[in-house]
Amino acid sequence: MNKLTNNLLELTLVSLESTPLKFSEVSIDEVIYQASQMLMNRQSDYSVVFSFDGKVEQVQPSLTIEGNKSLLYSAFFNLMENGCKFSDNKRVEVTLSANERWVAVEIKDEGVGILESDIKSIYEPFFRAENVKRIHGHGVGLPLTYRIIQLHHGQINVASQINKGTTFSVRLPKRF
């Protein structure tokens, strides 16, 4: 109940257009690493595997954007938690990449997948897909994540196959 209340409060705050947000330099790899550590501390059977699309020494220094660290933390925590929660192996793969304009994060699971007919509704508050109603959740994590990515002028896309898994792809501009 506490988590639901906090998520609802956060969703309300990021939905208010007049709420001033503080943006600063944020290293996306550090935010995701911190969120993954918290997730694995809370759920010892969850695992997060990291990789870079390209050479680490080239990609890692370019993963900094202008953003709100705590909101980005929430967004990536939600995506990783969902991936682990809806996968039998309780594991997600996170791939980081960047170019001169964008930082890209791909979070892939081998879970139950999302029905094609449900994909259009996953960012609506309290929506729960038919094939996951047996798994505990409230339907506020993805709407919150979607709104956070929007506030950062980013993009989020999903590709999914039933019983094979889901991949969320997030692109965030380095500056806006």
Side-chain angles (χ1 to χ4, degrees):
M1 193 60 143
N2 191 23
K3 185 176 180 198
L4 173 61
T5 304
N6 287 337
N7 278 340
L8 286 172
L9 180 60
E10 198 166 5
L11 182 58
T12 302
L13 289 174
V14 298
S15 295
L16 297 173
E17 295 297 330
S18 61
T19 303
L21 290 175
K22 293 181 181 168
F23 285 68
S24 60
E25 279 197 357
V26 177
S27 296
I28 292 297
D29 55 328
E30 290 177 20
V31 168
I32 293 173
Y33 179 76
Q34 290 169 356
S36 71
Q37 292 303 298
M38 177 62 76
L39 177 65
M40 291 185 291
N41 285 340
R42 286 187 185 174
Q43 293 289 139
S44 60
D45 58 336
Y46 286 7
S47 67
V48 179
V49 178
F50 291 95
S51 64
F52 293 94
D53 186 7
K55 294 184 179 184
V56 175
E57 57 275 1
Q58 291 173 338
V59 175
Q60 194 171 25
S62 63
L63 294 171
T64 301
I65 69 163
E66 282 291 315
N68 182 289
K69 187 175 183 175
S70 65
L71 290 178
L72 290 166
Y73 177 97
S74 291
F76 290 115
F77 184 93
N78 283 331
L79 290 173
M80 291 184 290
E81 181 181 44
N82 279 355
C84 290
K85 178 170 50 175
F86 297 120
S87 298
D88 287 339
N89 66 3
K90 307 292 185 209
R91 178 178 174 235
V92 293
E93 296 174 18
V94 177
T95 305
L96 301 162
S97 63
N99 63 29
E100 59 282 340
R101 289 190 58 218
W102 299 92
V103 169
V105 180
E106 186 178 276
I107 299 174
K108 180 180 181 180
D109 67 49
E110 296 175 8
V112 297
I114 305 168
L115 293 167
E116 182 77 30
S117 59
D118 286 340
I119 286 179
K120 66 185 179 311
S121 302
I122 62 173
Y123 301 120
E124 295 173 15
F126 305 109
F127 175 80
R128 299 272 297 155
E130 284 301 317
N131 65 331
V132 297
K133 288 198 174 177
R134 63 177 172 75
I135 300 169
H136 180 71
H138 302 288
V140 294
L142 283 178
L144 175 61
T145 297
Y146 181 78
R147 184 65 182 130
I148 290 168
I149 300 305
Q150 280 185 322
L151 287 170
H152 286 83
H153 303 275
Q155 303 163 353
I156 184 167
N157 295 299
V158 61
S160 190
Q161 288 185 295
I162 296 301
N163 298 321
K164 292 196 177 179
T166 301
T167 301
F168 279 91
S169 300
V170 175
R171 282 182 10 139
L172 297 165
K174 291 185 175 185
R175 303 263 185 262
F176 52 87

